[in-house]
Amino acid sequence: MGTVEEALKCPICQDVFTGPVTLPCGHDFCLTCIQAVWETDGSDAGPLFCPECQIFLPSDLTLEINTNLQTKVKDFITSRLSTAELRTPCRATQSSSTIHCDHCIETPSVAIRTCLTCDASLCEAHAQLHQRRSALREHTVVEVTGDPLSLKCREHRDELKLFCMEERVPVCCLCVLVGTHKNHKAFQLHEACADFKSMLETTMNQLLKRKSEAEHAIRDLESLYTQTVKSAADFRERISDKYSRIHVVLDGDERLMMQIIDAEEMYMTEWLEAQRGVMEAQITEIDGLRASRKSLLRETNELRFLQQIAAQNLCEPLDLAPIQEVDKDLCDLEKLRTVERLVDDLSVALSQHFPRMWSYLSSPVLDSKSAHPKLEISQDRKQVSWRQQPVSEARSPQPYDSQYSVLAQESFTTGCHYWEVIVQEKPYWLMGVTTGPVDKKDAPSQSSSSLGVNNTSWCIYHADGQYLACHDTQGKQLSVGKRVRKLGILANLQKGELSFYDADSMTLLHSFCVQCTEPLYPMLNPCIDVNGLNTQPLTMFWIKEPWDWQGNTNEGNE
């Protein structure tokens, strides 16, 4: 009871609401209390504000009584009065105790009926007698109760024969004629019961239909789950097979180029060995000629010298063919250079597709210290959602409010960075980047920044199928054909570009030119939950082993 009573107290007067009104921000106050505050703190022209959350309100705001809350207050007061009366000593005991007939004086009998007109409990015999007497026949006799006053109007002590349709409470005839329910639309109890029973039956049918729809939706979800797992396995197998074929082609091409290099090397070395053999044979022949002539020069007998000259046909000067110089052009490695050029062409062709945007994929963790108090951060700091809170029926806030944001712990100053956020069918969300504080201790103040409405933040806002690119109070409506399930954000700080993509199809949604020297922080805003329709979280897309393209490229160059 204490918790209910606290919920029905005005924050200003600290008493149960009197004429409660609900502000657009969802906070409730007594009509006279909030008027007194505004008359004290401001002029009639404004500005108006909520004493609880300090949010400014329109100066032409019209206050209307929250009838639902007023009914709850009246029910609470009635319940409290009933409890107080039951606690006071009286002749009747609690309903769980035995109730005796008020007319059986000497021998008490158990009562089975209660006359509301007489305020008397009756046994079976006196109840029959009550009904037979013509003077008592018009009395209202009901099932026995230990508290007949609960079935009567507490203001007029008359029977509750009518039901006020405006305030949804049983009333007596005097309440409708001269009491607080004067001029209210009232039905007889059996008419109101018939209407509400019909409504409840309709509601039961609707609930049954909704249950059937929910069960059908669960079956569809289970089917989709099975289909998704199977499809993922099929895609994984097909893509792995495609990469295997690519590997086969690349491996075959590499083997071909290596074989060409090996063959070119073999034929070139064989030709060089053959040329070397020719040169070595010429040297051997020259050495033989020199040796024979050297021995003739040692001959001292002139006759024998001339006879040997004539016999060996050495009378004429030796006519030797010139030694052919080695033509280095014949050893030109042009074919090897052609092979290298072909490999370079292949590398250029592949580089048109690499690195992929996903090569820069990172998964920043959220800084819980920078989160607005009404946001809930998951334990792994990969999810953010609107904290589950009861919302007044009369409250109808706009889902978008830039202050309900959280920063990522990591900031970017140089390089190329890409991250994805899963939104699925979430009807409202806001995401982008903003210049964060240099000192992390200032992060909580940054969470109150107006994302997308100043010149140091860039974002996309989604509202029930509509997309808006926002920067510096300017908004641009985007034409998006298919609903985005994952939003991809690419920050290319070398080029000064910030691009937003449909991360599933890698379709560009919008691109900003970002000229900023301060660190940029990813920022997420799950937006306010309205009637339980926007409770889904924003989730950072994460992979186990992200590919470090820059690091692997450097290793390859080395």
Side-chain angles (χ1 to χ4, degrees), residues 201-215:
E201 289 176 356
T202 303
T203 303
M204 289 290 290
N205 292 333
Q206 291 175 345
L207 291 175
L208 186 61
K209 182 180 178 182
R210 292 291 295 275
K211 179 182 177 181
S212 177
E213 292 174 351
E215 291 174 345

Side-chain angles (χ1 to χ4, degrees), residues 267-280:
Y267 286 113
M268 189 63 66
T269 54
E270 286 181 354
W271 179 81
L272 292 174
E273 289 292 337
Q275 294 300 313
R276 179 186 177 88
V278 171
M279 294 298 107
E280 289 178 346

Side-chain angles (χ1 to χ4, degrees), residues 277-508:
V278 171
M279 294 298 107
E280 289 178 346
Q282 289 181 350
I283 292 174
T284 302
E285 180 183 3
I286 291 171
D287 288 343
L289 292 174
R290 290 183 71 250
S292 63
R293 283 161 176 70
K294 186 177 181 179
S295 62
L296 286 175
L297 290 174
R298 293 193 190 100
E299 180 62 51
T300 57
N301 189 304
E302 295 177 349
L303 179 60
R304 283 196 298 271
F305 174 78
L306 294 174
Q307 289 174 341
Q308 291 182 12
I309 288 292
Q312 296 181 19
N313 197 23
L314 298 178
C315 297
E316 299 295 334
L318 184 63
D319 185 16
L320 295 175
I323 301 297
Q324 186 176 1
E325 294 184 3
V326 177
D327 188 358
K328 296 182 179 180
D329 291 339
L330 296 176
C331 296
D332 188 9
L333 303 179
E334 182 179 359
K335 195 160 194 174
L336 302 187
R337 284 192 290 272
T338 301
V339 169
E340 185 177 17
R341 177 173 53 80
L342 292 175
V343 175
D344 289 339
D345 293 342
L346 177 62
S347 178
V348 171
L350 291 176
S351 66
Q352 296 177 2
H353 306 281
F354 299 103
R356 304 187 192 277
M357 195 179 303
W358 288 331
S359 302
Y360 303 111
L361 182 64
S362 61
S363 181
V365 296
L366 302 177
D367 185 3
S368 55
K369 294 180 181 179
S370 71
H372 190 277
K374 291 187 178 180
L375 298 183
E376 187 167 351
I377 309 300
S378 63
Q379 188 174 2
D380 60 2
R381 295 188 293 169
K382 297 292 184 182
Q383 285 187 344
V384 57
S385 59
W386 179 257
R387 191 180 298 275
Q388 297 293 332
Q389 296 175 346
V391 180
S392 170
E393 295 180 1
R395 176 184 178 184
S396 57
Q398 291 297 320
Y400 163 64
D401 192 326
S402 60
Q403 66 174 327
Y404 299 120
S405 304
V406 60
L407 292 173
Q409 189 170 359
E410 181 182 3
S411 64
F412 307 122
T413 54
T414 60
C416 194
H417 307 273
Y418 177 75
W419 64 97
E420 295 180 359
V421 183
I422 302 173
V423 298
Q424 291 291 40
E425 57 184 10
K426 188 174 175 63
Y428 300 98
W429 48 261
L430 181 73
M431 277 181 286
V433 300
T434 183
T435 54
V438 177
D439 190 351
K440 294 296 281 184
K441 69 181 180 180
D442 296 332
S445 63
Q446 183 68 19
S447 65
S448 298
S449 67
S450 298
L451 183 59
V453 297
N454 55 35
N455 61 357
T456 58
S457 63
W458 302 261
C459 71
I460 283 187
Y461 172 52
H462 171 258
D464 211 10
Q466 301 297 319
Y467 297 84
L468 194 67
C470 306
H471 171 63
D472 199 13
T473 70
Q474 301 297 318
K476 178 183 179 182
Q477 189 81 27
L478 302 181
S479 176
V480 179
K482 183 180 178 183
R483 186 158 187 161
V484 176
R485 296 171 59 249
K486 300 182 190 71
L487 182 71
I489 305 174
L490 176 66
N492 191 334
L493 300 181
Q494 276 83 1
K495 294 184 178 180
E497 293 179 350
L498 180 69
S499 303
F500 293 84
Y501 292 85
D502 180 338
D504 284 335
S505 62
M506 300 309 291
T507 303
L508 178 65

Side-chain angles (χ1 to χ4, degrees), residues 477-543:
Q477 189 81 27
L478 302 181
S479 176
V480 179
K482 183 180 178 183
R483 186 158 187 161
V484 176
R485 296 171 59 249
K486 300 182 190 71
L487 182 71
I489 305 174
L490 176 66
N492 191 334
L493 300 181
Q494 276 83 1
K495 294 184 178 180
E497 293 179 350
L498 180 69
S499 303
F500 293 84
Y501 292 85
D502 180 338
D504 284 335
S505 62
M506 300 309 291
T507 303
L508 178 65
L509 302 177
H510 187 72
S511 186
F512 290 101
C513 180
V514 178
Q515 300 296 334
C516 184
T517 58
E518 299 181 36
L520 293 180
Y521 285 80
M523 197 170 193
L524 281 68
N525 184 336
C527 294
I528 295 173
D529 173 39
V530 179
N531 299 325
L533 300 177
N534 197 41
T535 59
Q536 305 94 321
L538 295 176
T539 305
M540 286 288 186
F541 186 77
W542 175 79
I543 58 177

